[in-house]
Coordinates of all heavy atoms in Angstrom, one line a residue:
M1 N 13.2 -11.8 -12.4 CA 11.8 -11.5 -12.3 C 11.5 -10.6 -13.5 O 12.3 -9.7 -13.9 CB 11.5 -10.7 -11.0 CG 10.1 -10.2 -10.9 SD 9.7 -9.4 -9.4 CE 9.5 -10.8 -8.3
K2 N 10.3 -10.8 -14.1 CA 9.9 -10.0 -15.2 C 9.2 -8.7 -14.7 O 8.6 -8.7 -13.6 CB 8.9 -10.8 -16.1 CG 9.7 -12.0 -16.7 CD 8.8 -12.6 -17.8 CE 9.6 -13.7 -18.4 NZ 9.6 -13.8 -19.8
L3 N 9.2 -7.7 -15.5 CA 8.6 -6.4 -15.2 C 7.1 -6.6 -14.9 O 6.7 -6.0 -13.9 CB 8.7 -5.5 -16.4 CG 8.1 -4.1 -16.3 CD1 8.7 -3.3 -15.2 CD2 8.1 -3.4 -17.6
E4 N 6.4 -7.4 -15.6 CA 4.9 -7.5 -15.4 C 4.6 -8.1 -14.0 O 3.7 -7.7 -13.3 CB 4.3 -8.4 -16.5 CG 4.3 -7.8 -17.8 CD 5.6 -7.9 -18.6 OE1 6.5 -8.7 -18.1 OE2 5.8 -7.2 -19.6
K5 N 5.4 -9.1 -13.6 CA 5.2 -9.8 -12.3 C 5.5 -8.8 -11.2 O 4.8 -8.7 -10.2 CB 6.1 -11.0 -12.2 CG 5.9 -11.7 -10.8 CD 6.5 -13.1 -10.8 CE 6.3 -13.7 -9.4 NZ 5.4 -14.8 -9.4
A6 N 6.6 -8.0 -11.3 CA 7.0 -7.0 -10.3 C 5.9 -6.0 -10.2 O 5.5 -5.6 -9.1 CB 8.3 -6.3 -10.7
A7 N 5.3 -5.5 -11.4 CA 4.3 -4.5 -11.4 C 3.0 -5.1 -10.7 O 2.4 -4.4 -10.0 CB 4.0 -4.1 -12.8
D8 N 2.7 -6.4 -11.0 CA 1.5 -7.0 -10.3 C 1.7 -7.0 -8.8 O 0.7 -6.7 -8.0 CB 1.3 -8.4 -10.8 CG 0.6 -8.4 -12.2 OD1 0.1 -7.4 -12.7 OD2 0.6 -9.5 -12.8
Q9 N 2.9 -7.4 -8.4 CA 3.1 -7.5 -6.9 C 3.1 -6.1 -6.3 O 2.5 -5.9 -5.2 CB 4.4 -8.2 -6.6 CG 4.4 -9.6 -7.0 CD 5.7 -10.3 -6.7 OE1 6.8 -9.7 -6.7 NE2 5.7 -11.7 -6.5
L10 N 3.7 -5.1 -6.9 CA 3.7 -3.8 -6.4 C 2.3 -3.2 -6.4 O 1.9 -2.5 -5.4 CB 4.6 -2.9 -7.1 CG 6.1 -3.2 -6.9 CD1 7.0 -2.4 -8.0 CD2 6.5 -2.9 -5.5
E11 N 1.5 -3.5 -7.4 CA 0.1 -3.0 -7.4 C -0.7 -3.7 -6.3 O -1.5 -3.0 -5.6 CB -0.5 -3.4 -8.8 CG -2.0 -2.9 -8.9 CD -2.6 -3.3 -10.2 OE1 -2.0 -4.1 -11.0 OE2 -3.7 -2.9 -10.4
A12 N -0.5 -5.0 -6.0 CA -1.2 -5.6 -4.9 C -0.8 -5.0 -3.6 O -1.7 -4.8 -2.7 CB -0.8 -7.1 -4.9
L13 N 0.5 -4.6 -3.4 CA 0.9 -4.0 -2.2 C 0.5 -2.6 -2.1 O 0.7 -2.0 -1.0 CB 2.4 -4.2 -2.0 CG 2.9 -5.7 -1.8 CD1 4.4 -5.7 -1.9 CD2 2.3 -6.2 -0.5
G14 N 0.0 -2.0 -3.2 CA -0.3 -0.6 -3.2 C -1.6 -0.3 -2.5 O -2.0 0.8 -2.2
N15 N -2.4 -1.4 -2.1 CA -3.6 -1.2 -1.4 C -3.2 -1.2 0.1 O -2.6 -2.1 0.6 CB -4.6 -2.4 -1.7 CG -5.8 -2.3 -0.9 OD1 -5.8 -2.7 0.3 ND2 -6.9 -1.9 -1.5
P16 N -3.7 -0.2 0.9 CA -3.3 -0.1 2.3 C -3.7 -1.4 3.1 O -2.9 -1.8 4.0 CB -4.0 1.1 2.8 CG -4.3 1.9 1.6 CD -4.5 1.0 0.5
T17 N -4.8 -1.9 2.9 CA -5.2 -3.1 3.6 C -4.3 -4.3 3.3 O -3.9 -5.0 4.2 CB -6.7 -3.5 3.4 OG1 -7.5 -2.4 3.7 CG2 -7.2 -4.7 4.1
R18 N -4.0 -4.5 2.0 CA -3.2 -5.6 1.6 C -1.8 -5.4 2.1 O -1.1 -6.4 2.6 CB -3.2 -5.8 0.1 CG -4.4 -6.5 -0.4 CD -4.3 -7.0 -1.8 NE -4.3 -6.0 -2.8 CZ -5.4 -5.5 -3.3 NH1 -6.6 -6.0 -3.0 NH2 -5.3 -4.5 -4.2
L19 N -1.3 -4.2 2.1 CA 0.1 -3.9 2.6 C 0.1 -4.2 4.1 O 1.1 -4.9 4.6 CB 0.5 -2.5 2.4 CG 1.9 -2.1 2.8 CD1 2.9 -3.0 2.2 CD2 2.1 -0.6 2.5
Q20 N -0.9 -3.8 4.9 CA -0.9 -4.1 6.3 C -1.0 -5.6 6.5 O -0.3 -6.2 7.4 CB -2.1 -3.4 7.0 CG -2.2 -3.6 8.4 CD -3.5 -3.0 9.0 OE1 -4.5 -2.7 8.3 NE2 -3.4 -2.8 10.3
L21 N -1.8 -6.3 5.8 CA -1.9 -7.8 5.8 C -0.6 -8.4 5.6 O -0.2 -9.3 6.3 CB -3.0 -8.2 4.9 CG -3.2 -9.7 4.5 CD1 -3.4 -10.5 5.8 CD2 -4.3 -9.9 3.5
Y22 N 0.1 -8.0 4.5 CA 1.3 -8.6 4.1 C 2.4 -8.4 5.2 O 3.1 -9.3 5.6 CB 1.8 -8.0 2.8 CG 3.0 -8.7 2.2 CD1 2.9 -10.1 1.9 CD2 4.2 -8.1 2.1 CE1 4.0 -10.7 1.4 CE2 5.3 -8.7 1.6 CZ 5.2 -10.1 1.2 OH 6.3 -10.7 0.8
R23 N 2.5 -7.2 5.7 CA 3.5 -6.9 6.8 C 3.2 -7.7 8.0 O 4.1 -8.1 8.7 CB 3.4 -5.4 7.1 CG 4.1 -4.5 6.0 CD 4.0 -3.0 6.2 NE 4.5 -2.7 7.6 CZ 5.7 -2.2 7.8 NH1 6.6 -1.9 6.9 NH2 6.1 -1.9 9.1
T24 N 1.9 -7.9 8.3 CA 1.6 -8.8 9.4 C 2.1 -10.2 9.2 O 2.6 -10.8 10.2 CB 0.0 -8.8 9.7 OG1 -0.4 -7.4 9.9 CG2 -0.4 -9.6 10.8
L25 N 1.9 -10.7 8.0 CA 2.4 -12.0 7.7 C 3.9 -12.1 7.7 O 4.5 -13.1 8.2 CB 1.9 -12.5 6.4 CG 0.4 -12.9 6.4 CD1 -0.1 -13.2 5.0 CD2 0.1 -14.0 7.4
V26 N 4.6 -11.1 7.2 CA 6.1 -11.0 7.2 C 6.5 -11.1 8.7 O 7.5 -11.8 9.0 CB 6.6 -9.8 6.5 CG1 8.1 -9.6 6.7 CG2 6.3 -9.9 5.0
R27 N 5.9 -10.3 9.6 CA 6.3 -10.3 11.0 C 6.0 -11.6 11.7 O 6.7 -12.0 12.6 CB 5.4 -9.2 11.7 CG 5.8 -7.8 11.4 CD 5.0 -6.8 12.1 NE 5.0 -7.0 13.6 CZ 5.8 -6.3 14.4 NH1 6.6 -5.4 13.9 NH2 5.8 -6.6 15.7
A28 N 5.0 -12.4 11.2 CA 4.7 -13.7 11.8 C 5.8 -14.7 11.6 O 5.8 -15.7 12.3 CB 3.4 -14.2 11.3
G29 N 6.6 -14.5 10.6 CA 7.7 -15.5 10.3 C 7.2 -16.7 9.6 O 6.0 -16.7 9.1
D30 N 8.0 -17.7 9.6 CA 7.7 -18.9 8.8 C 6.5 -19.7 9.4 O 5.9 -20.5 8.7 CB 8.9 -19.9 8.7 CG 8.8 -20.9 7.7 OD1 8.4 -20.5 6.5 OD2 9.2 -22.1 7.9
E31 N 6.1 -19.5 10.6 CA 5.0 -20.2 11.2 C 3.7 -19.7 10.6 O 2.7 -20.4 10.5 CB 4.9 -19.9 12.7 CG 6.1 -20.4 13.5 CD 7.3 -19.5 13.5 OE1 7.2 -18.3 13.1 OE2 8.4 -20.0 13.7
G32 N 3.7 -18.4 10.1 CA 2.5 -17.9 9.5 C 1.4 -17.7 10.6 O 1.6 -17.8 11.8
L33 N 0.2 -17.4 10.1 CA -0.9 -17.1 11.0 C -2.2 -17.8 10.4 O -2.4 -17.7 9.2 CB -1.2 -15.6 11.1 CG -0.2 -14.8 12.0 CD1 -0.5 -13.4 11.8 CD2 -0.3 -15.3 13.4
P34 N -3.0 -18.3 11.2 CA -4.3 -18.8 10.8 C -5.2 -17.6 10.3 O -5.1 -16.5 10.8 CB -4.9 -19.5 12.0 CG -3.9 -19.6 13.0 CD -2.8 -18.6 12.7
V35 N -6.1 -17.9 9.4 CA -6.9 -16.8 8.9 C -7.7 -16.2 10.0 O -7.8 -14.9 10.0 CB -7.9 -17.4 7.8 CG1 -9.0 -16.4 7.4 CG2 -7.1 -17.8 6.5
G36 N -8.2 -16.9 10.9 CA -9.0 -16.4 12.0 C -8.2 -15.4 12.9 O -8.7 -14.3 13.3
R37 N -6.9 -15.7 13.1 CA -6.0 -14.8 13.9 C -5.7 -13.6 13.1 O -5.7 -12.5 13.6 CB -4.7 -15.6 14.2 CG -3.8 -14.8 15.1 CD -4.3 -14.6 16.5 NE -3.4 -13.8 17.3 CZ -3.7 -12.6 17.8 NH1 -4.9 -12.1 17.6 NH2 -2.8 -12.0 18.4
L38 N -5.5 -13.7 11.8 CA -5.4 -12.5 10.9 C -6.6 -11.6 11.0 O -6.4 -10.4 11.1 CB -5.1 -13.0 9.4 CG -3.8 -13.3 9.0 CD1 -3.8 -13.9 7.6 CD2 -2.9 -12.0 9.0
Q39 N -7.7 -12.2 10.9 CA -9.0 -11.4 11.0 C -9.1 -10.6 12.3 O -9.4 -9.5 12.3 CB -10.2 -12.3 10.8 CG -11.5 -11.6 10.7 CD -12.7 -12.5 10.5 OE1 -12.6 -13.7 10.5 NE2 -13.9 -11.9 10.5
E40 N -8.7 -11.3 13.4 CA -8.7 -10.6 14.7 C -7.7 -9.5 14.7 O -8.0 -8.4 15.2 CB -8.4 -11.6 15.8 CG -9.4 -12.6 16.1 CD -8.9 -13.7 17.1 OE1 -7.8 -13.5 17.6 OE2 -9.6 -14.7 17.2
K41 N -6.5 -9.8 14.3 CA -5.4 -8.8 14.3 C -5.7 -7.5 13.5 O -5.4 -6.4 13.9 CB -4.1 -9.3 13.8 CG -3.3 -10.2 14.8 CD -2.0 -10.6 14.2 CE -1.0 -11.0 15.2 NZ -0.3 -9.8 15.8
L42 N -6.3 -7.7 12.3 CA -6.6 -6.6 11.4 C -8.0 -6.0 11.6 O -8.3 -5.0 11.0 CB -6.4 -7.1 10.0 CG -5.0 -7.6 9.6 CD1 -5.0 -8.1 8.2 CD2 -4.0 -6.5 9.8
D43 N -8.9 -6.7 12.3 CA -10.2 -6.3 12.6 C -11.0 -5.9 11.3 O -11.5 -4.8 11.1 CB -10.2 -5.1 13.5 CG -11.6 -4.7 14.1 OD1 -12.4 -5.7 14.2 OD2 -11.8 -3.5 14.3
I44 N -11.0 -6.9 10.4 CA -11.7 -6.8 9.1 C -12.7 -8.0 8.9 O -12.5 -9.0 9.5 CB -10.8 -6.6 7.9 CG1 -9.9 -7.8 7.7 CG2 -10.0 -5.3 8.0 CD1 -9.0 -7.7 6.5
A45 N -13.7 -7.7 8.1 CA -14.6 -8.8 7.8 C -14.0 -10.0 7.1 O -13.0 -9.8 6.3 CB -15.8 -8.2 7.0
A46 N -14.5 -11.2 7.3 CA -13.9 -12.4 6.7 C -13.9 -12.3 5.2 O -13.0 -12.7 4.5 CB -14.7 -13.6 7.2
S47 N -15.0 -11.7 4.6 CA -15.1 -11.6 3.2 C -14.0 -10.7 2.6 O -13.5 -10.9 1.5 CB -16.5 -11.2 2.7 OG -16.8 -10.0 3.3
T48 N -13.8 -9.6 3.3 CA -12.8 -8.6 2.9 C -11.4 -9.2 3.0 O -10.6 -9.1 2.1 CB -12.9 -7.4 3.8 OG1 -14.2 -6.8 3.7 CG2 -11.9 -6.3 3.4
L49 N -11.1 -9.9 4.1 CA -9.9 -10.6 4.3 C -9.6 -11.6 3.2 O -8.6 -11.7 2.5 CB -9.8 -11.3 5.6 CG -8.5 -12.1 5.9 CD1 -7.3 -11.2 5.9 CD2 -8.6 -12.7 7.3
S50 N -10.6 -12.4 2.8 CA -10.5 -13.4 1.8 C -10.2 -12.8 0.5 O -9.3 -13.3 -0.3 CB -11.9 -14.2 1.7 OG -11.8 -15.1 0.7
H51 N -10.8 -11.7 0.1 CA -10.6 -10.9 -1.1 C -9.1 -10.5 -1.2 O -8.5 -10.7 -2.2 CB -11.5 -9.7 -1.2 CG -11.1 -8.7 -2.2 ND1 -11.3 -8.9 -3.6 CD2 -10.5 -7.5 -2.1 CE1 -10.9 -7.8 -4.2 NE2 -10.4 -7.0 -3.3
H52 N -8.6 -9.9 -0.1 CA -7.3 -9.4 -0.1 C -6.2 -10.5 -0.1 O -5.2 -10.4 -0.8 CB -7.1 -8.4 1.1 CG -7.8 -7.1 0.9 ND1 -7.5 -6.3 -0.2 CD2 -8.7 -6.5 1.6 CE1 -8.3 -5.2 -0.1 NE2 -9.1 -5.4 1.0
L53 N -6.5 -11.6 0.6 CA -5.6 -12.7 0.6 C -5.5 -13.3 -0.8 O -4.4 -13.7 -1.2 CB -6.0 -13.8 1.6 CG -5.6 -13.6 3.1 CD1 -6.4 -14.6 4.0 CD2 -4.1 -13.6 3.2
K54 N -6.6 -13.5 -1.5 CA -6.6 -14.0 -2.8 C -5.7 -13.2 -3.7 O -4.9 -13.8 -4.5 CB -8.0 -14.1 -3.4 CG -8.0 -14.7 -4.8 CD -9.4 -14.8 -5.3 CE -9.5 -15.4 -6.7 NZ -8.4 -15.5 -7.5
R55 N -5.7 -11.9 -3.6 CA -4.9 -11.1 -4.5 C -3.4 -11.3 -4.2 O -2.6 -11.4 -5.1 CB -5.2 -9.6 -4.3 CG -4.5 -8.7 -5.2 CD -5.0 -8.7 -6.6 NE -4.4 -7.6 -7.3 CZ -3.4 -7.7 -8.2 NH1 -2.9 -8.9 -8.4 NH2 -2.9 -6.7 -8.8
L56 N -3.1 -11.4 -2.9 CA -1.7 -11.7 -2.5 C -1.2 -13.1 -2.9 O 0.0 -13.3 -3.3 CB -1.5 -11.4 -1.0 CG -1.7 -9.9 -0.6 CD1 -1.7 -9.8 1.0 CD2 -0.6 -9.1 -1.2
V57 N -2.1 -14.1 -2.8 CA -1.7 -15.4 -3.2 C -1.5 -15.4 -4.7 O -0.6 -16.0 -5.2 CB -2.8 -16.4 -2.7 CG1 -2.6 -17.8 -3.4 CG2 -2.8 -16.6 -1.2
D58 N -2.4 -14.8 -5.4 CA -2.4 -14.8 -6.9 C -1.1 -14.2 -7.4 O -0.6 -14.5 -8.5 CB -3.6 -14.1 -7.5 CG -4.9 -14.9 -7.4 OD1 -4.8 -16.1 -7.0 OD2 -5.9 -14.3 -7.6
T59 N -0.5 -13.2 -6.7 CA 0.7 -12.5 -7.2 C 1.9 -13.2 -6.6 O 3.0 -12.8 -6.9 CB 0.7 -11.1 -6.8 OG1 0.6 -11.0 -5.3 CG2 -0.4 -10.3 -7.4
G60 N 1.8 -14.3 -5.8 CA 3.0 -15.0 -5.4 C 3.6 -14.5 -4.1 O 4.7 -14.9 -3.8
L61 N 2.9 -13.5 -3.4 CA 3.5 -13.0 -2.2 C 3.1 -13.7 -1.0 O 3.8 -13.6 0.1 CB 3.1 -11.5 -2.1 CG 3.7 -10.6 -3.1 CD1 3.0 -9.2 -3.1 CD2 5.2 -10.4 -2.9
V62 N 2.0 -14.5 -1.0 CA 1.5 -15.2 0.1 C 1.2 -16.7 -0.3 O 0.8 -16.9 -1.4 CB 0.3 -14.6 0.7 CG1 -0.4 -15.4 1.7 CG2 0.6 -13.2 1.3
T63 N 1.5 -17.6 0.6 CA 1.1 -19.0 0.4 C 0.1 -19.4 1.5 O 0.0 -18.8 2.6 CB 2.3 -20.0 0.5 OG1 2.9 -19.9 1.8 CG2 3.3 -19.6 -0.6
Q64 N -0.7 -20.4 1.2 CA -1.7 -20.9 2.2 C -1.5 -22.4 2.3 O -1.3 -23.1 1.3 CB -3.1 -20.5 1.8 CG -3.3 -19.0 1.8 CD -4.7 -18.7 1.3 OE1 -5.3 -19.2 0.4 NE2 -5.4 -17.8 2.1
E65 N -1.7 -22.9 3.5 CA -1.7 -24.4 3.7 C -2.8 -24.7 4.7 O -3.0 -24.1 5.7 CB -0.3 -24.7 4.4 CG -0.2 -26.2 4.8 CD 1.0 -26.4 5.6 OE1 1.8 -25.5 5.9 OE2 1.2 -27.6 6.0
R66 N -3.5 -25.8 4.3 CA -4.6 -26.2 5.1 C -4.1 -27.3 6.1 O -3.4 -28.2 5.7 CB -5.7 -26.9 4.2 CG -6.9 -27.4 5.1 CD -8.2 -27.2 4.6 NE -8.7 -26.0 3.9 CZ -9.3 -25.0 4.6 NH1 -9.5 -25.0 5.8 NH2 -9.7 -24.0 3.9
Q67 N -4.3 -27.1 7.3 CA -4.0 -28.0 8.4 C -5.3 -28.4 9.1 O -5.8 -27.6 9.9 CB -3.0 -27.4 9.4 CG -1.6 -27.1 8.8 CD -0.7 -26.5 9.8 OE1 -1.0 -26.2 10.9 NE2 0.5 -26.2 9.3
A68 N -5.8 -29.5 8.7 CA -7.1 -30.0 9.2 C -8.2 -28.9 8.8 O -8.4 -28.7 7.6 CB -7.1 -30.3 10.7
T69 N -8.8 -28.3 9.8 CA -9.8 -27.3 9.5 C -9.3 -25.8 9.5 O -10.0 -24.9 9.3 CB -11.0 -27.4 10.5 OG1 -10.5 -27.1 11.8 CG2 -11.6 -28.7 10.4
T70 N -8.0 -25.7 9.7 CA -7.4 -24.4 9.8 C -6.6 -24.0 8.5 O -5.8 -24.9 8.0 CB -6.4 -24.3 11.0 OG1 -7.2 -24.7 12.2 CG2 -5.8 -22.9 11.2
L71 N -6.8 -22.8 8.0 CA -6.0 -22.3 6.9 C -4.9 -21.4 7.4 O -5.2 -20.4 8.0 CB -6.9 -21.6 5.9 CG -6.3 -21.2 4.6 CD1 -5.8 -22.4 3.8 CD2 -7.3 -20.4 3.8
I72 N -3.7 -21.9 7.2 CA -2.5 -21.1 7.6 C -2.0 -20.2 6.4 O -1.8 -20.8 5.3 CB -1.4 -22.0 8.1 CG1 -1.9 -22.9 9.2 CG2 -0.2 -21.2 8.6 CD1 -2.3 -22.3 10.5
C73 N -1.8 -19.0 6.7 CA -1.2 -18.1 5.7 C 0.2 -17.7 6.0 O 0.5 -17.4 7.2 CB -2.1 -16.8 5.6 SG -3.8 -17.1 5.1
R74 N 1.0 -17.6 5.0 CA 2.5 -17.3 5.2 C 2.9 -16.3 4.2 O 2.5 -16.5 3.0 CB 3.3 -18.5 5.2 CG 3.1 -19.5 6.3 CD 4.1 -20.7 6.2 NE 3.9 -21.6 7.2 CZ 3.1 -22.7 7.1 NH1 2.4 -22.8 6.0 NH2 2.9 -23.5 8.1
A75 N 3.8 -15.4 4.5 CA 4.5 -14.6 3.5 C 5.4 -15.6 2.7 O 6.0 -16.4 3.3 CB 5.3 -13.5 4.2
H76 N 5.4 -15.4 1.4 CA 6.3 -16.2 0.6 C 7.6 -15.4 0.5 O 7.7 -14.6 -0.4 CB 5.6 -16.5 -0.8 CG 6.4 -17.4 -1.6 ND1 6.9 -17.0 -2.8 CD2 6.8 -18.7 -1.5 CE1 7.6 -18.0 -3.4 NE2 7.5 -19.0 -2.6
Y77 N 8.5 -15.8 1.4 CA 9.8 -15.0 1.5 C 10.6 -15.0 0.2 O 11.2 -14.0 -0.2 CB 10.6 -15.5 2.7 CG 9.9 -15.1 4.0 CD1 9.1 -16.1 4.7 CD2 10.0 -13.8 4.5 CE1 8.5 -15.7 5.8 CE2 9.3 -13.5 5.6 CZ 8.5 -14.4 6.3 OH 7.9 -14.1 7.4
P78 N 10.7 -16.1 -0.6 CA 11.4 -16.1 -1.8 C 10.8 -15.1 -2.8 O 11.5 -14.4 -3.5 CB 11.3 -17.5 -2.4 CG 11.1 -18.4 -1.1 CD 10.3 -17.5 -0.2
G79 N 9.5 -15.0 -2.8 CA 8.8 -14.0 -3.6 C 9.1 -12.6 -3.2 O 9.3 -11.7 -4.0
M80 N 9.1 -12.3 -1.9 CA 9.5 -11.0 -1.3 C 10.9 -10.7 -1.7 O 11.2 -9.5 -2.2 CB 9.3 -11.0 0.2 CG 9.6 -9.7 0.8 SD 9.4 -9.6 2.6 CE 10.8 -10.7 3.1
Q81 N 11.8 -11.6 -1.5 CA 13.2 -11.4 -1.8 C 13.5 -11.1 -3.3 O 14.3 -10.2 -3.7 CB 14.1 -12.5 -1.3 CG 14.2 -12.7 0.2 CD 14.8 -11.5 0.9 OE1 15.6 -10.7 0.3 NE2 14.3 -11.2 2.1
A82 N 12.7 -11.8 -4.2 CA 12.8 -11.6 -5.6 C 12.4 -10.2 -6.0 O 13.0 -9.5 -6.8 CB 12.0 -12.6 -6.4
L83 N 11.3 -9.7 -5.4 CA 10.8 -8.3 -5.6 C 11.8 -7.3 -5.1 O 12.1 -6.4 -5.9 CB 9.4 -8.1 -5.0 CG 8.8 -6.7 -5.2 CD1 8.6 -6.4 -6.7 CD2 7.5 -6.7 -4.5
I84 N 12.3 -7.5 -3.9 CA 13.3 -6.5 -3.4 C 14.5 -6.5 -4.3 O 15.1 -5.5 -4.6 CB 13.7 -6.9 -2.0 CG1 12.5 -6.6 -1.0 CG2 14.9 -6.1 -1.5 CD1 12.6 -7.2 0.4
G85 N 15.0 -7.7 -4.7 CA 16.1 -7.8 -5.6 C 15.9 -7.2 -6.9 O 16.8 -6.5 -7.4
Y86 N 14.7 -7.3 -7.5 CA 14.4 -6.7 -8.7 C 14.5 -5.2 -8.6 O 15.0 -4.5 -9.5 CB 13.0 -7.1 -9.2 CG 12.5 -6.5 -10.5 CD1 13.0 -7.0 -11.7 CD2 11.7 -5.3 -10.5 CE1 12.6 -6.4 -12.9 CE2 11.3 -4.7 -11.7 CZ 11.8 -5.3 -12.9 OH 11.4 -4.7 -14.1
L87 N 14.0 -4.6 -7.5 CA 14.0 -3.2 -7.3 C 15.4 -2.7 -7.2 O 15.7 -1.6 -7.6 CB 13.1 -2.8 -6.1 CG 11.6 -3.1 -6.3 CD1 10.9 -2.8 -5.0 CD2 11.1 -2.2 -7.4
A88 N 16.3 -3.5 -6.5 CA 17.6 -3.0 -6.2 C 18.7 -3.4 -7.3 O 19.8 -2.8 -7.3 CB 18.0 -3.5 -4.9
D89 N 18.4 -4.3 -8.1 CA 19.4 -4.9 -9.1 C 20.1 -3.8 -9.9 O 21.3 -4.0 -10.1 CB 18.7 -5.9 -10.0 CG 18.7 -7.3 -9.5 OD1 19.3 -7.5 -8.4 OD2 18.0 -8.1 -10.1
E90 N 19.4 -2.9 -10.3 CA 20.1 -1.9 -11.2 C 20.3 -0.6 -10.5 O 20.4 0.5 -11.2 CB 19.3 -1.8 -12.5 CG 19.3 -3.1 -13.3 CD 18.7 -2.9 -14.7 OE1 18.7 -1.8 -15.2 OE2 18.1 -3.9 -15.1
C91 N 20.4 -0.6 -9.2 CA 20.6 0.7 -8.5 C 21.9 1.3 -9.0 O 22.9 0.7 -9.0 CB 20.7 0.3 -7.0 SG 21.0 1.8 -6.0
C92 N 21.7 2.6 -9.4 CA 22.8 3.4 -9.8 C 23.6 2.9 -11.0 O 24.7 3.2 -11.2 CB 23.8 3.6 -8.6 SG 23.0 4.2 -7.1
A93 N 22.9 2.0 -11.8 CA 23.6 1.4 -13.0 C 24.0 2.5 -14.0 O 25.0 2.3 -14.7 CB 22.7 0.4 -13.6
D94 N 23.3 3.6 -14.1 CA 23.5 4.6 -15.1 C 24.1 5.9 -14.4 O 24.1 6.9 -15.0 CB 22.3 5.0 -15.9 CG 21.8 3.8 -16.7 OD1 22.7 3.0 -17.1 OD2 20.6 3.7 -16.9
G95 N 24.5 5.8 -13.2 CA 25.0 7.0 -12.5 C 25.7 6.7 -11.2 O 26.0 5.5 -10.9
T96 N 26.0 7.7 -10.4 CA 26.6 7.5 -9.2 C 25.6 7.4 -8.1 O 24.7 8.2 -8.0 CB 27.6 8.7 -8.9 OG1 28.4 8.9 -10.0 CG2 28.4 8.6 -7.6
C97 N 25.8 6.5 -7.2 CA 24.9 6.3 -6.0 C 25.0 7.5 -5.1 O 26.1 8.0 -4.9 CB 25.2 5.0 -5.3 SG 24.7 3.5 -6.1
P98 N 23.9 7.9 -4.5 CA 24.0 9.0 -3.6 C 24.8 8.5 -2.3 O 24.9 7.4 -2.0 CB 22.5 9.3 -3.2 CG 21.8 8.0 -3.5 CD 22.6 7.3 -4.6
P99 N 25.4 9.5 -1.6 CA 26.1 9.1 -0.4 C 25.2 8.5 0.6 O 24.0 8.9 0.7 CB 26.7 10.5 0.1 CG 25.9 11.5 -0.6 CD 25.3 10.9 -1.8
V100 N 25.7 7.6 1.4 CA 24.9 7.0 2.5 C 24.8 8.0 3.6 O 25.8 8.6 4.1 CB 25.7 5.7 3.0 CG1 24.9 5.1 4.1 CG2 25.8 4.7 1.8
A101 N 23.6 8.1 4.1 CA 23.3 9.1 5.2 C 23.9 8.5 6.5 O 23.7 7.4 6.8 CB 21.8 9.3 5.3
K102 N 24.5 9.4 7.2 CA 25.1 9.0 8.5 C 24.0 9.0 9.5 O 23.1 9.9 9.5 CB 26.3 9.9 8.9 CG 27.4 9.7 8.0 CD 28.5 10.7 8.4 CE 29.7 10.6 7.5 NZ 30.8 11.5 7.8
E103 N 24.0 8.1 10.5 CA 23.0 8.1 11.5 C 23.3 9.3 12.5 O 24.4 9.6 12.8 CB 23.1 6.8 12.3 CG 22.6 5.6 11.5 CD 22.5 4.4 12.4 OE1 22.2 4.5 13.6 OE2 22.8 3.3 11.9
A104 N 22.2 9.9 12.9 CA 22.3 11.0 13.8 C 22.7 10.5 15.1 O 22.2 9.5 15.6 CB 21.0 11.8 13.9
V105 N 23.7 11.2 15.8 CA 24.1 10.9 17.1 C 23.2 11.6 18.1 O 23.0 12.8 18.0 CB 25.6 11.3 17.3 CG1 26.0 11.0 18.7 CG2 26.5 10.6 16.3
V106 N 22.6 10.8 19.0 CA 21.6 11.4 19.9 C 22.3 11.4 21.3 O 23.0 10.6 21.7 CB 20.3 10.5 20.0 CG1 19.4 11.2 20.9 CG2 19.7 10.5 18.6

C-alpha cells in the first residue's frame, strides 16, 4: 500500500460518522447491509449517509452491490487488512518493541 492511499483511508475514517458507519459494516460481516437498514441503525438522513458512503467507497474501504432495487453495502475486508498491515508492517523496525501488557486478573 502506498502512503497516499493509507492517508486517504485514515482521513476518511477520521470523521466520527464515517467511522461509526464503517464499524457497523465491519460488524455486519460479508452479508453487508442494505442502505435503508444502515440509515435506520445510524439514525441519519439519507443524503448524509450517501455522502459518507461515497467517501468510504472512493477510498476502497466499502463496496456496494445492487440487488434489484436494494443497494447492499459491505466493508471491503481486503482493503481493511491492507490498511492494518500497512500500519503494523514496520512496527519496531528501528527499535525494541514495548513489552506486551499482561491482562489484569480479576
